[in-house]
C-alpha cells in the first residue's frame, strides 16, 4: 500500500520502443520532447538551438525535414546532438529515406500521406535498416477527407480511426516499433481521442495539445490536457506545443510532470502569491531565483514565502526555505528546520549558494550509493 494513496497514478501498460538510446513506454520514465524552429538547412543555427534544449533537459528533439537541403544538413545535426533526433516528415517519402540514412532515431510520418503501399514499404525498410522508430502523428487539422466526410467534423472517433488506419499500414509491413499521437488544439477533443486510443492499442502514446498558443495560454491548455491524461495514467512521452522558444516547451513539460510527481528535474519552487504581510518582494525574488537556478538539474525543493503565516509550514516540507521576517531580516530553513537568518540585501546570492551546495551534496550521495550498488 502507498503511504499517500491519494497521490498514486497507475500508468497504462504499453509496449516499449526505443527512440535511439531512449526507451519510450513499457514503464520507462515519461520523456519530454520539443521541436526546433530554425531552418534545418542552417545546421549551425539548428545545432545551437538543440544545445539550448538539451541544457533545459530535453530527452528527444524533433527537427522538420521539408526539403532536400534539410536532409542534407541532417547528418551533421544528428552527429552533433547529444539526444535522439526525430525527423519530421509529411508528404515526401524520399525525405524519410534520406533522414533514416542520415541518423534519425525516429521518423514522424503519417503512412497514409506518403503515397502507395510500395512507398510505405520503402520507408519501413529504411527504418528497419537504420534502427529507426516511427511516430504516427494524427492531427485534427489535417484529417483525411474521407474521415471528414464520414464524421462531418474532427471528432474523437475520427482521430482514433485515422490512427488505427495508419497503424495497420505499418503492421501490414511487419513494423511494430511505433508510437502514436492524436493531437488537437481543442483540449476536450484531444483528451477524448487519447482516451479512446489508449483503450484500442498497446503501443506507446505521444501526448500533446497542438497549436496550444503562446507561452501563458499554451501552457495552461497543455497543462490541463496533458495533465489530465497523465493523471489518468495515459502517456509515455510529451511535447508542449507553444508559440515560444523550444527550451520553454521543455521547461513547461517538466513542470507538468513535476506537479504530478511523475518526474523531477531541477529546483521545484514553492512560493506564495504575496500580500501586504510580505517581508520582502516575493514576486521579484522568485523571478530572480528561477533565472539564477536554471542550471541546476538535481531534483530538490525550495520554498519562498513572504511571511510567517504559511512560511514555516511550507519550509518543513522543502530542502531549503526562506520566510520573510521584519526589518529586512529573514529566516532560512535547511531540511525543514530553522537554521539561520539572512539580510534582505544578501538574500538572492545566499539562497543560490545554498541551493548549489545542496545539489552538490545530493549528487555526491547519489554517486556514493551507485558505487556501493555496483
Amino acid at each position: 500500500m502507498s503511504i499517500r494513496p491519494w497521490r498514486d497514478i497507475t500508468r497504462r501498460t504499453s509496449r516499449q520502443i526505443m527512440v535511439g538510446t531512449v526507451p519510450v513506454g513499457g514503464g520507462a520514465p515519461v520523456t519530454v520532447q520539443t521541436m526546433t524552429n530554425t531552418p534545418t538547412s542552417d545546421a549551425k543555427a539548428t545545432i545551437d538551438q538543440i544545445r539550448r534544449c538539451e541544457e533545459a533537459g530535453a530527452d528527444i528533439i524533433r527537427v522538420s525535414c521539408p526539403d532536400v537541403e534539410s536532409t542534407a544538413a541532417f547528418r551533421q545535426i544528428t552527429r552533433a546532438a547529444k539526444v535522439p533526433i526525430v525527423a519530421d516528415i509529411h508528404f515526401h517519402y524520399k525525405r524519410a529515406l534520406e533522414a533514416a540514412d542520415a541518423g534519425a532515431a525516429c521518423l514522424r510520418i503519417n503512412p497514409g500521406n506518403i503515397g502507395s503501399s510500395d512507398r510505405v514499404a520503402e520507408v519501413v525498410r529504411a527504418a528497419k535498416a537504420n534502427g529507426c522508430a516511427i511516430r504516427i502523428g494524427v492531427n485534427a487539422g489535417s484529417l483525411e477527407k474521407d474521415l471528414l466526410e464520414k464524421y462531418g467534423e474532427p471528432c474523437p472517433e475520427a482521430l482514433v480511426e485515422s490512427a488505427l488506419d495508419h497503424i495497420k499500414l505499418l503492421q501490414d509491413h511487419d513494423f511494430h516499433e511505433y508510437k502514436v499521437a492524436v493531437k488537437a488544439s481543442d483540449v476536450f477533443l484531444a483528451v477524448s481521442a487519447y482516451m479512446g486510443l489508449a483503450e484500442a492499442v498497446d503501443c506507446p502514446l505521444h501526448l500533446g495539445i497542438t497549436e496550444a498558443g503562446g507561452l501563458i495560454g499554451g501552457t495552461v491548455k497543455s497543462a490541463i490536457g496533458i495533465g489530465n491524461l497523465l493523471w489518468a495514467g495515459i502517456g509515455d512521452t510529451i511535447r508542449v506545443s507553444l508559440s515560444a522558444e523550444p527550451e520553454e516547451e521543455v521547461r513547461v513539460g517538466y513542470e507538468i510532470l513535476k506537479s504530478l510527481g511523475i518526474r523531477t528535474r531541477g529546483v521545484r519552487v514553492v512560493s506564495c502569491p504575496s500580500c501586504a504581510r510580505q517581508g520582502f518582494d516575493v514576486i521579484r525574488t522568485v523571478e530572480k531565483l528561477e533565472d539564477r537556478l536554471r542550471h541546476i538539474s538535481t531534483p530538490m525543493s525550495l520554498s519562498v514565502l513572504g511571511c510567517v503565516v504559511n512560511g514555516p509550514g511550507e519550509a518543513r516540507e522543502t530542502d531549503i526555505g526562506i520566510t520573510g521576517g521584519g526589518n529586512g531580516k529573514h529566516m532560512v530553513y535547511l531540511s525543514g528546520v530553522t537554521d539561520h537568518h539572512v539580510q534582505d540585501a544578501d538574500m538572492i546570492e545566499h539562497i543560490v549558494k545554498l541551493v548549489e551546495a545542496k545539489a552538490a551534496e545530493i549528487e555526491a550521495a547519489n554517486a556514493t550509493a551507485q558505487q556501493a550498488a555496483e
Side-chain angles (χ1 to χ4, degrees), residues 11-333:
R11 284 184 66 186
R12 160 186 170 269
T13 301
S14 65
R15 291 188 290 107
Q16 186 173 100
I17 67 169
M18 295 298 294
V19 177
T21 57
V22 175
V24 176
V30 177
T31 51
V32 176
Q33 303 193 27
T34 188
M35 185 173 183
T36 58
N37 56 30
T38 52
T40 305
S41 56
D42 187 340
K44 183 181 183 305
T46 303
I47 291 168
D48 287 345
Q49 192 171 72
I50 285 172
R51 195 70 69 236
R52 293 194 296 275
C53 294
E54 290 171 337
E55 290 170 358
D59 299 299
I60 299 169
I61 299 174
R62 182 156 46 113
V63 172
S64 183
C65 292
D67 47 41
V68 176
E69 290 76 18
S70 296
T71 50
F74 197 74
R75 188 179 301 277
Q76 182 182 350
I77 292 167
T78 58
R79 285 178 174 174
K82 299 174 183 175
V83 301
I85 302 297
V86 178
D88 193 84
I89 311 295
H90 280 275
F91 303 110
H92 303 292
Y93 82 102
K94 287 188 177 180
R95 302 295 83 78
L97 305 180
E98 293 158 2
D101 289 340
C106 180
L107 304 173
R108 185 274 186 198
I109 62 170
N110 280 351
N113 289 354
I114 60 174
S116 65
S117 177
D118 289 342
R119 289 184 176 181
V120 175
E122 280 195 64
V123 172
V124 167
R125 278 196 296 271
K128 287 181 176 180
N130 291 281
C132 293
I134 288 178
R135 200 257 286 186
I136 294 170
V138 175
N139 194 306
S142 56
L143 274 173
E144 296 89 329
K145 289 182 180 179
D146 62 319
L147 291 176
L148 287 175
E149 290 174 2
K150 177 179 178 179
Y151 291 99
E153 65 175 1
C155 63
E157 295 79 8
L159 268 66
V160 171
E161 185 170 334
S162 176
L164 295 177
D165 288 344
H166 292 305
I167 287 171
K168 187 175 184 304
L169 288 172
L170 294 183
Q171 290 180 333
D172 286 347
H173 293 283
D174 195 30
F175 189 86
H176 308 281
E177 298 300 303
Y178 57 82
K179 52 194 172 87
V180 185
V182 281
K183 296 186 180 182
S185 59
D186 181 292
V187 173
F188 296 95
L189 174 55
V191 170
S192 182
Y194 274 111
M195 287 184 167
L197 186 63
E199 293 182 0
V201 299
D202 70 345
C203 63
L205 298 184
H206 169 116
L207 302 188
I209 306 298
T210 193
E211 289 102 35
L215 182 57
I216 295 177
T219 294
V220 172
K221 284 180 69 175
S222 297
I224 292 170
I226 295 173
N228 262 288
L229 290 163
L230 291 171
W231 201 339
I234 296 170
D236 303 287
T237 184
I238 67 173
R239 189 260 172 120
V240 178
S241 299
L242 302 175
S243 299
E245 293 306 316
E247 52 265 43
E248 295 297 335
E249 295 185 349
V250 178
R251 294 186 184 107
V252 172
Y254 270 102
E255 289 300 323
I256 293 172
L257 295 177
K258 283 181 347 189
S259 69
L260 292 168
I262 292 173
R263 195 168 167 200
T264 57
R265 183 185 191 277
V267 182
R268 176 175 62 87
V269 177
V270 176
S271 60
C272 67
S274 79
C275 69
R277 293 191 302 267
Q278 66 181 348
F280 58 88
D281 189 338
V282 173
I283 294 174
R284 246 52 65 187
T285 298
V286 171
E287 286 177 351
K288 291 175 183 176
L289 285 172
E290 286 184 334
D291 183 62
R292 292 284 304 276
L293 297 174
R294 280 184 175 177
H295 65 293
I296 303 291
S297 60
T298 307
M300 59 184 298
S301 54
L302 168 68
S303 58
V304 183
L305 280 291
C307 76
V308 296
V309 172
N310 292 320
E314 292 291 353
R316 278 196 298 270
E317 306 298 325
T318 53
D319 294 304
I320 297 170
I322 184 158
T323 296
N327 301 317
K329 190 176 182 181
H330 315 302
M331 292 167 282
V332 177
Y333 300 76

